[in-house]
Amino acid sequence: LQYYEMSYGLNIEMHKQAEIVKRLNGICAQVLPYLSQEHQQQVLGAIERAKQVTAPELNSIIRQQLQAHQLSQLQALALPLTPLPVGLQPPSLPAVSAGTGLLSLSALGSQAHLSKEDKNGH
């Protein structure tokens, strides 16, 4: 039963990510004509590279996100217990750039698309 709940949750998440990717692709298609020719080429190249994500890259992205999530949970647990001296700031997580976020989003969407094709026998 727990397996089916997890499977259902993952399936829903994949469909959600695929829908987000579809909408972002639509936004890119609408904005692209307004860019200079040089920027259009850069964006198209970045989109194509994002679509070519490999399984090891996906695993690395997922591992990084999991580690960041675990670290934030540990910080949330530890910070209230250990007050910092005046003037010290709590450690912060490294910022995730828009490119990294879009790459992982695109990667998830591509993975969702590939799994749909696999199910359809392609």
Side-chain angles (χ1 to χ4, degrees):
L1 182 63
Q2 189 176 13
Y3 169 79
Y4 291 109
E5 289 174 0
M6 282 180 46
S7 178
Y8 178 76
L10 286 172
N11 193 22
I12 293 293
E13 185 63 27
M14 284 178 57
H15 284 289
K16 179 180 166 186
Q17 295 294 335
E19 182 62 26
I20 291 169
V21 168
K22 189 176 7 171
R23 292 178 186 192
L24 286 173
N25 279 334
I27 292 168
C28 287
Q30 287 178 337
V31 171
L32 202 59
Y34 297 104
L35 299 177
S36 69
Q37 193 69 29
E38 179 185 348
H39 285 126
Q40 285 183 21
Q41 293 305 317
Q42 289 175 350
V43 169
L44 289 172
I47 290 171
E48 283 307 309
R49 286 190 303 276
K51 288 179 181 178
Q52 302 301 320
V53 68
T54 64
E57 287 173 321
L58 261 180
N59 286 333
S60 175
I61 291 165
I62 292 168
R63 190 171 26 259
Q64 288 172 357
Q65 290 173 346
L66 182 60
Q67 288 171 348
H69 178 71
Q70 289 171 341
L71 181 59
S72 67
Q73 284 183 331
L74 286 174
Q75 286 179 336
L77 289 174
L79 288 178
L81 299 176
T82 56
L84 292 172
V86 176
L88 286 182
Q89 295 296 321
S92 61
L93 293 175
V96 176
S97 70
T100 305
L102 287 176
L103 176 62
S104 63
L105 178 61
S106 177
L108 289 171
S110 298
Q111 189 68 21
H113 179 70
L114 289 175
S115 65
K116 282 186 210 171
E117 287 181 355
D118 290 343
K119 290 178 184 173
N120 293 334
H122 293 292

